[in-house]
PDB file of all heavy atoms in Angstrom:
ATOM      1  N   LYS A  95       3.131  11.519   9.436  1.00  0.00           N
ATOM      2  CA  LYS A  95       2.253  12.250  10.345  1.00  0.00           C
ATOM      3  C   LYS A  95       1.197  13.044   9.590  1.00  0.00           C
ATOM      4  O   LYS A  95       1.433  13.547   8.501  1.00  0.00           O
ATOM      5  CB  LYS A  95       3.073  13.205  11.212  1.00  0.00           C
ATOM      6  CG  LYS A  95       3.991  12.506  12.180  1.00  0.00           C
ATOM      7  CD  LYS A  95       4.795  13.509  12.973  1.00  0.00           C
ATOM      8  CE  LYS A  95       5.835  12.798  13.824  1.00  0.00           C
ATOM      9  NZ  LYS A  95       6.747  13.760  14.446  1.00  0.00           N
ATOM     10  N   GLN A  96       0.047  13.163  10.250  1.00  0.00           N
ATOM     11  CA  GLN A  96      -1.055  13.936   9.694  1.00  0.00           C
ATOM     12  C   GLN A  96      -0.734  15.422   9.804  1.00  0.00           C
ATOM     13  O   GLN A  96      -0.250  15.895  10.830  1.00  0.00           O
ATOM     14  CB  GLN A  96      -2.339  13.606  10.459  1.00  0.00           C
ATOM     15  CG  GLN A  96      -3.590  14.002   9.755  1.00  0.00           C
ATOM     16  CD  GLN A  96      -4.798  13.385  10.419  1.00  0.00           C
ATOM     17  OE1 GLN A  96      -5.298  13.932  11.388  1.00  0.00           O
ATOM     18  NE2 GLN A  96      -5.252  12.261   9.910  1.00  0.00           N
ATOM     19  N   ASP A  97      -0.971  16.155   8.726  1.00  0.00           N
ATOM     20  CA  ASP A  97      -0.789  17.611   8.684  1.00  0.00           C
ATOM     21  C   ASP A  97      -2.144  18.293   8.754  1.00  0.00           C
ATOM     22  O   ASP A  97      -3.176  17.671   8.473  1.00  0.00           O
ATOM     23  CB  ASP A  97      -0.107  18.029   7.376  1.00  0.00           C
ATOM     24  CG  ASP A  97       1.362  17.639   7.307  1.00  0.00           C
ATOM     25  OD1 ASP A  97       1.941  17.270   8.351  1.00  0.00           O
ATOM     26  OD2 ASP A  97       1.920  17.705   6.200  1.00  0.00           O
ATOM     27  N   ALA A  98      -2.135  19.578   9.073  1.00  0.00           N
ATOM     28  CA  ALA A  98      -3.380  20.357   9.141  1.00  0.00           C
ATOM     29  C   ALA A  98      -4.136  20.313   7.813  1.00  0.00           C
ATOM     30  O   ALA A  98      -5.367  20.239   7.788  1.00  0.00           O
ATOM     31  CB  ALA A  98      -3.073  21.800   9.534  1.00  0.00           C
ATOM     32  N   GLU A  99      -3.395  20.294   6.694  1.00  0.00           N
ATOM     33  CA  GLU A  99      -4.032  20.275   5.363  1.00  0.00           C
ATOM     34  C   GLU A  99      -4.829  18.992   5.111  1.00  0.00           C
ATOM     35  O   GLU A  99      -5.644  18.939   4.193  1.00  0.00           O
ATOM     36  CB  GLU A  99      -2.981  20.457   4.267  1.00  0.00           C
ATOM     37  CG  GLU A  99      -2.041  19.265   4.139  1.00  0.00           C
ATOM     38  CD  GLU A  99      -0.844  19.524   3.237  1.00  0.00           C
ATOM     39  OE1 GLU A  99       0.045  20.257   3.663  1.00  0.00           O
ATOM     40  OE2 GLU A  99      -0.823  18.963   2.127  1.00  0.00           O
ATOM     41  N   ASP A 100      -4.610  17.946   5.927  1.00  0.00           N
ATOM     42  CA  ASP A 100      -5.324  16.676   5.762  1.00  0.00           C
ATOM     43  C   ASP A 100      -6.723  16.712   6.374  1.00  0.00           C
ATOM     44  O   ASP A 100      -7.500  15.767   6.193  1.00  0.00           O
ATOM     45  CB  ASP A 100      -4.520  15.531   6.379  1.00  0.00           C
ATOM     46  CG  ASP A 100      -3.159  15.366   5.749  1.00  0.00           C
ATOM     47  OD1 ASP A 100      -3.013  15.671   4.547  1.00  0.00           O
ATOM     48  OD2 ASP A 100      -2.227  14.928   6.452  1.00  0.00           O
ATOM     49  N   ASN A 101      -7.041  17.780   7.111  1.00  0.00           N
ATOM     50  CA  ASN A 101      -8.373  17.958   7.719  1.00  0.00           C
ATOM     51  C   ASN A 101      -8.815  16.761   8.555  1.00  0.00           C
ATOM     52  O   ASN A 101      -9.985  16.380   8.534  1.00  0.00           O
ATOM     53  CB  ASN A 101      -9.418  18.281   6.649  1.00  0.00           C
ATOM     54  CG  ASN A 101      -9.162  19.620   5.993  1.00  0.00           C
ATOM     55  OD1 ASN A 101      -8.853  20.594   6.672  1.00  0.00           O
ATOM     56  ND2 ASN A 101      -9.253  19.651   4.668  1.00  0.00           N
ATOM     57  N   GLY A 102      -7.869  16.134   9.259  1.00  0.00           N
ATOM     58  CA  GLY A 102      -8.198  15.020  10.143  1.00  0.00           C
ATOM     59  C   GLY A 102      -8.535  13.723   9.432  1.00  0.00           C
ATOM     60  O   GLY A 102      -9.022  12.790  10.060  1.00  0.00           O
ATOM     61  N   CYS A 103      -8.264  13.634   8.125  1.00  0.00           N
ATOM     62  CA  CYS A 103      -8.631  12.444   7.345  1.00  0.00           C
ATOM     63  C   CYS A 103      -7.423  11.518   7.170  1.00  0.00           C
ATOM     64  O   CYS A 103      -6.428  11.888   6.541  1.00  0.00           O
ATOM     65  CB  CYS A 103      -9.173  12.864   5.987  1.00  0.00           C
ATOM     66  SG  CYS A 103      -9.627  11.458   4.949  1.00  0.00           S
ATOM     67  N   ASP A 104      -7.522  10.323   7.725  1.00  0.00           N
ATOM     68  CA  ASP A 104      -6.432   9.345   7.647  1.00  0.00           C
ATOM     69  C   ASP A 104      -6.123   8.947   6.208  1.00  0.00           C
ATOM     70  O   ASP A 104      -4.959   8.751   5.844  1.00  0.00           O
ATOM     71  CB  ASP A 104      -6.780   8.089   8.455  1.00  0.00           C
ATOM     72  CG  ASP A 104      -6.959   8.380   9.928  1.00  0.00           C
ATOM     73  OD1 ASP A 104      -6.215   9.212  10.473  1.00  0.00           O
ATOM     74  OD2 ASP A 104      -7.849   7.759  10.546  1.00  0.00           O
ATOM     75  N   VAL A 105      -7.146   8.808   5.376  1.00  0.00           N
ATOM     76  CA  VAL A 105      -6.940   8.427   3.974  1.00  0.00           C
ATOM     77  C   VAL A 105      -6.162   9.525   3.246  1.00  0.00           C
ATOM     78  O   VAL A 105      -5.199   9.248   2.526  1.00  0.00           O
ATOM     79  CB  VAL A 105      -8.282   8.140   3.270  1.00  0.00           C
ATOM     80  CG1 VAL A 105      -8.078   7.900   1.782  1.00  0.00           C
ATOM     81  CG2 VAL A 105      -8.981   6.947   3.914  1.00  0.00           C
ATOM     82  N   THR A 106      -6.554  10.764   3.467  1.00  0.00           N
ATOM     83  CA  THR A 106      -5.858  11.891   2.831  1.00  0.00           C
ATOM     84  C   THR A 106      -4.395  11.912   3.240  1.00  0.00           C
ATOM     85  O   THR A 106      -3.507  12.141   2.411  1.00  0.00           O
ATOM     86  CB  THR A 106      -6.548  13.223   3.196  1.00  0.00           C
ATOM     87  OG1 THR A 106      -7.902  13.169   2.741  1.00  0.00           O
ATOM     88  CG2 THR A 106      -5.839  14.415   2.578  1.00  0.00           C
ATOM     89  N   THR A 107      -4.124  11.654   4.517  1.00  0.00           N
ATOM     90  CA  THR A 107      -2.740  11.632   5.004  1.00  0.00           C
ATOM     91  C   THR A 107      -1.946  10.546   4.292  1.00  0.00           C
ATOM     92  O   THR A 107      -0.830  10.792   3.808  1.00  0.00           O
ATOM     93  CB  THR A 107      -2.696  11.387   6.527  1.00  0.00           C
ATOM     94  OG1 THR A 107      -3.422  12.425   7.182  1.00  0.00           O
ATOM     95  CG2 THR A 107      -1.268  11.351   7.045  1.00  0.00           C
ATOM     96  N   ALA A 108      -2.493   9.337   4.216  1.00  0.00           N
ATOM     97  CA  ALA A 108      -1.782   8.220   3.581  1.00  0.00           C
ATOM     98  C   ALA A 108      -1.490   8.519   2.108  1.00  0.00           C
ATOM     99  O   ALA A 108      -0.372   8.278   1.630  1.00  0.00           O
ATOM    100  CB  ALA A 108      -2.590   6.930   3.711  1.00  0.00           C
ATOM    101  N   LEU A 109      -2.475   9.053   1.400  1.00  0.00           N
ATOM    102  CA  LEU A 109      -2.291   9.351  -0.022  1.00  0.00           C
ATOM    103  C   LEU A 109      -1.298  10.494  -0.226  1.00  0.00           C
ATOM    104  O   LEU A 109      -0.452  10.451  -1.125  1.00  0.00           O
ATOM    105  CB  LEU A 109      -3.634   9.687  -0.666  1.00  0.00           C
ATOM    106  CG  LEU A 109      -4.653   8.553  -0.708  1.00  0.00           C
ATOM    107  CD1 LEU A 109      -5.983   9.043  -1.270  1.00  0.00           C
ATOM    108  CD2 LEU A 109      -4.131   7.362  -1.494  1.00  0.00           C
ATOM    109  N   ARG A 110      -1.383  11.545   0.589  1.00  0.00           N
ATOM    110  CA  ARG A 110      -0.462  12.678   0.480  1.00  0.00           C
ATOM    111  C   ARG A 110       0.971  12.230   0.748  1.00  0.00           C
ATOM    112  O   ARG A 110       1.895  12.562   0.009  1.00  0.00           O
ATOM    113  CB  ARG A 110      -0.854  13.791   1.465  1.00  0.00           C
ATOM    114  CG  ARG A 110       0.124  14.985   1.450  1.00  0.00           C
ATOM    115  CD  ARG A 110      -0.210  16.012   2.524  1.00  0.00           C
ATOM    116  NE  ARG A 110      -0.329  15.471   3.859  1.00  0.00           N
ATOM    117  CZ  ARG A 110       0.703  15.105   4.627  1.00  0.00           C
ATOM    118  NH1 ARG A 110       1.930  15.205   4.189  1.00  0.00           N
ATOM    119  NH2 ARG A 110       0.481  14.624   5.836  1.00  0.00           N
ATOM    120  N   GLU A 111       1.153  11.453   1.795  1.00  0.00           N
ATOM    121  CA  GLU A 111       2.495  10.986   2.153  1.00  0.00           C
ATOM    122  C   GLU A 111       3.075  10.069   1.077  1.00  0.00           C
ATOM    123  O   GLU A 111       4.263  10.157   0.761  1.00  0.00           O
ATOM    124  CB  GLU A 111       2.472  10.281   3.513  1.00  0.00           C
ATOM    125  CG  GLU A 111       2.354  11.235   4.691  1.00  0.00           C
ATOM    126  CD  GLU A 111       3.649  11.975   5.000  1.00  0.00           C
ATOM    127  OE1 GLU A 111       4.733  11.543   4.559  1.00  0.00           O
ATOM    128  OE2 GLU A 111       3.577  13.000   5.703  1.00  0.00           O
ATOM    129  N   ALA A 112       2.256   9.189   0.509  1.00  0.00           N
ATOM    130  CA  ALA A 112       2.744   8.308  -0.559  1.00  0.00           C
ATOM    131  C   ALA A 112       3.162   9.128  -1.775  1.00  0.00           C
ATOM    132  O   ALA A 112       4.163   8.815  -2.433  1.00  0.00           O
ATOM    133  CB  ALA A 112       1.678   7.285  -0.939  1.00  0.00           C
ATOM    134  N   HIS A 113       2.421  10.181  -2.047  1.00  0.00           N
ATOM    135  CA  HIS A 113       2.789  11.060  -3.158  1.00  0.00           C
ATOM    136  C   HIS A 113       4.100  11.785  -2.852  1.00  0.00           C
ATOM    137  O   HIS A 113       4.987  11.863  -3.705  1.00  0.00           O
ATOM    138  CB  HIS A 113       1.667  12.063  -3.445  1.00  0.00           C
ATOM    139  CG  HIS A 113       1.935  12.907  -4.633  1.00  0.00           C
ATOM    140  ND1 HIS A 113       2.343  14.213  -4.531  1.00  0.00           N
ATOM    141  CD2 HIS A 113       1.888  12.626  -5.961  1.00  0.00           C
ATOM    142  CE1 HIS A 113       2.535  14.705  -5.741  1.00  0.00           C
ATOM    143  NE2 HIS A 113       2.266  13.765  -6.626  1.00  0.00           N
ATOM    144  N   GLU A 114       4.242  12.307  -1.641  1.00  0.00           N
ATOM    145  CA  GLU A 114       5.464  13.025  -1.257  1.00  0.00           C
ATOM    146  C   GLU A 114       6.684  12.110  -1.250  1.00  0.00           C
ATOM    147  O   GLU A 114       7.774  12.523  -1.656  1.00  0.00           O
ATOM    148  CB  GLU A 114       5.308  13.641   0.130  1.00  0.00           C
ATOM    149  CG  GLU A 114       4.381  14.829   0.188  1.00  0.00           C
ATOM    150  CD  GLU A 114       4.198  15.365   1.599  1.00  0.00           C
ATOM    151  OE1 GLU A 114       4.892  14.913   2.543  1.00  0.00           O
ATOM    152  OE2 GLU A 114       3.333  16.248   1.775  1.00  0.00           O
ATOM    153  N   GLU A 115       6.519  10.881  -0.786  1.00  0.00           N
ATOM    154  CA  GLU A 115       7.667   9.987  -0.607  1.00  0.00           C
ATOM    155  C   GLU A 115       8.086   9.261  -1.875  1.00  0.00           C
ATOM    156  O   GLU A 115       9.280   9.088  -2.113  1.00  0.00           O
ATOM    157  CB  GLU A 115       7.377   8.972   0.508  1.00  0.00           C
ATOM    158  CG  GLU A 115       7.284   9.620   1.873  1.00  0.00           C
ATOM    159  CD  GLU A 115       7.021   8.627   2.979  1.00  0.00           C
ATOM    160  OE1 GLU A 115       7.027   7.400   2.730  1.00  0.00           O
ATOM    161  OE2 GLU A 115       6.799   9.083   4.122  1.00  0.00           O
ATOM    162  N   VAL A 116       7.110   8.779  -2.657  1.00  0.00           N
ATOM    163  CA  VAL A 116       7.464   7.960  -3.829  1.00  0.00           C
ATOM    164  C   VAL A 116       6.829   8.452  -5.128  1.00  0.00           C
ATOM    165  O   VAL A 116       6.959   7.803  -6.163  1.00  0.00           O
ATOM    166  CB  VAL A 116       7.132   6.462  -3.606  1.00  0.00           C
ATOM    167  CG1 VAL A 116       7.925   5.891  -2.438  1.00  0.00           C
ATOM    168  CG2 VAL A 116       5.639   6.237  -3.409  1.00  0.00           C
ATOM    169  N   GLY A 117       6.132   9.579  -5.080  1.00  0.00           N
ATOM    170  CA  GLY A 117       5.538  10.133  -6.293  1.00  0.00           C
ATOM    171  C   GLY A 117       4.298   9.411  -6.783  1.00  0.00           C
ATOM    172  O   GLY A 117       3.902   9.568  -7.935  1.00  0.00           O
ATOM    173  N   LEU A 118       3.646   8.627  -5.922  1.00  0.00           N
ATOM    174  CA  LEU A 118       2.449   7.886  -6.322  1.00  0.00           C
ATOM    175  C   LEU A 118       1.260   8.838  -6.433  1.00  0.00           C
ATOM    176  O   LEU A 118       0.903   9.521  -5.462  1.00  0.00           O
ATOM    177  CB  LEU A 118       2.162   6.780  -5.305  1.00  0.00           C
ATOM    178  CG  LEU A 118       1.065   5.799  -5.646  1.00  0.00           C
ATOM    179  CD1 LEU A 118       1.374   5.054  -6.946  1.00  0.00           C
ATOM    180  CD2 LEU A 118       0.909   4.794  -4.515  1.00  0.00           C
ATOM    181  N   ASN A 119       0.663   8.894  -7.596  1.00  0.00           N
ATOM    182  CA  ASN A 119      -0.475   9.766  -7.853  1.00  0.00           C
ATOM    183  C   ASN A 119      -1.693   9.268  -7.062  1.00  0.00           C
ATOM    184  O   ASN A 119      -2.148   8.145  -7.272  1.00  0.00           O
ATOM    185  CB  ASN A 119      -0.778   9.780  -9.352  1.00  0.00           C
ATOM    186  CG  ASN A 119      -1.915  10.692  -9.727  1.00  0.00           C
ATOM    187  OD1 ASN A 119      -2.753  11.068  -8.919  1.00  0.00           O
ATOM    188  ND2 ASN A 119      -1.958  11.047 -11.000  1.00  0.00           N
TER     189      ASN A 119
END
Side-chain angles (χ1 to χ4, degrees):
K95 293 178 187 172
Q96 197 168 84
D97 288 347
E99 69 190 73
D100 300 329
N101 294 317
C103 179
D104 298 322
V105 174
T106 300
T107 301
L109 295 175
R110 177 185 53 76
E111 285 285 342
H113 185 256
E114 288 177 7
E115 292 181 7
V116 298
L118 188 60
N119 182 340

